Amino acid sequence: MALRPVNVNFKALDDEVVGRFWAEALGWGVSSEGPGVTNVEPGGGFVWPDATAVCIDVVKVPEPKTATKNRVHLDLATTSAAHQAESVARLKALGATPVDVGQGDVPWTVLADPEGNEFCVLEPREIYRDTGPIAAVVIDCVDPRAMARFWDGAVDWTLHEVSDDRAVLRSAKGVGPYLEFLRSGAKTVPDRVHIDLLPYSGDDKDAEVDRLRALGATDLDLGQGDVPWTCLADPEGHEFCVLGRS
């Protein structure tokens, strides 16, 4: 049995505006599975789910962003200093704004999408040369080692690095973005951005959910009602969903 990360889910007041921004930012396409949902994924024959990309789902909600800083954000890859500068300029033209999250003097640029969701445009790094436009999905946490234990057991990705300050996983196929847990402060408000996990064909979702509970996940009631996915939280309270097979 196993699960794999397949989506990053954004809550938004206007899913179409936020979805179009991310599609243009990444050079991906836009579709919709229904009212209030905008799906962003690669073109060129990409068939979801595929380890080469973690896609983006933007879901309309009535509540605005309240957290000073999201605990989940995307890092975008660049290939050169010129590419980084061009990317920042292009993203600003699309509606991104510079934000100060206390990063200080760093080689990457911190921006926010049209609804204030932070993301980073990284300086070129060799490790991200083959990830696609999303270098990493980054999650703030108190204890990266504890997150490594839970998420290494939760998903079938490979644990590449673990220390007191950082834990890093990536698909065992060696493609697509990394999943990174960075030491930061404790969670204080519900996450605006979360990860969706998907079972493999033939695996039982309910059995996977039970396995996650045994690893330390807890059930989460967000008012979702009777839906085909299950909402859980990891041991530090980060929300995530286990999707049903489509």
Side-chain angles (χ1 to χ4, degrees), residues 152-231:
D152 188 36
V155 300
D156 68 343
W157 285 18
T158 299
L159 183 63
H160 284 265
E161 176 186 343
V162 60
S163 70
D164 290 342
D165 296 316
R166 169 183 167 99
V168 178
L169 299 94
R170 194 187 191 194
S171 168
K173 296 180 179 179
V175 295
Y178 288 81
L179 178 62
E180 301 181 357
F181 295 87
L182 301 184
R183 180 179 290 278
S184 184
K187 180 177 184 288
T188 58
V189 298
D191 291 328
R192 191 78 173 171
V193 184
H194 70 260
I195 294 175
D196 288 339
L197 307 181
L198 183 71
Y200 283 88
S201 179
D203 285 349
D204 181 80
K205 181 179 79 72
D206 292 339
E208 286 294 308
V209 169
D210 286 342
R211 186 176 63 81
L212 293 170
R213 291 181 182 128
L215 290 172
T218 53
D219 292 290
L220 194 62
D221 186 353
L222 301 171
Q224 65 268 22
D226 185 16
V227 293
W229 58 88
T230 300
C231 298

Side-chain angles (χ1 to χ4, degrees), residues 53-99:
V54 173
C55 299
I56 293 176
D57 280 356
V58 186
V59 178
K60 185 179 181 68
V61 296
E63 304 85 10
K65 180 176 182 281
T66 57
T68 304
K69 176 181 179 292
N70 288 336
R71 290 176 57 78
V72 182
H73 74 267
L74 300 181
D75 281 351
L76 305 188
T78 64
T79 57
S80 67
H83 183 211
Q84 183 186 18
E86 292 164 2
S87 296
V88 170
R90 183 176 62 85
L91 291 161
K92 288 179 179 176
L94 292 173
T97 53
V99 292

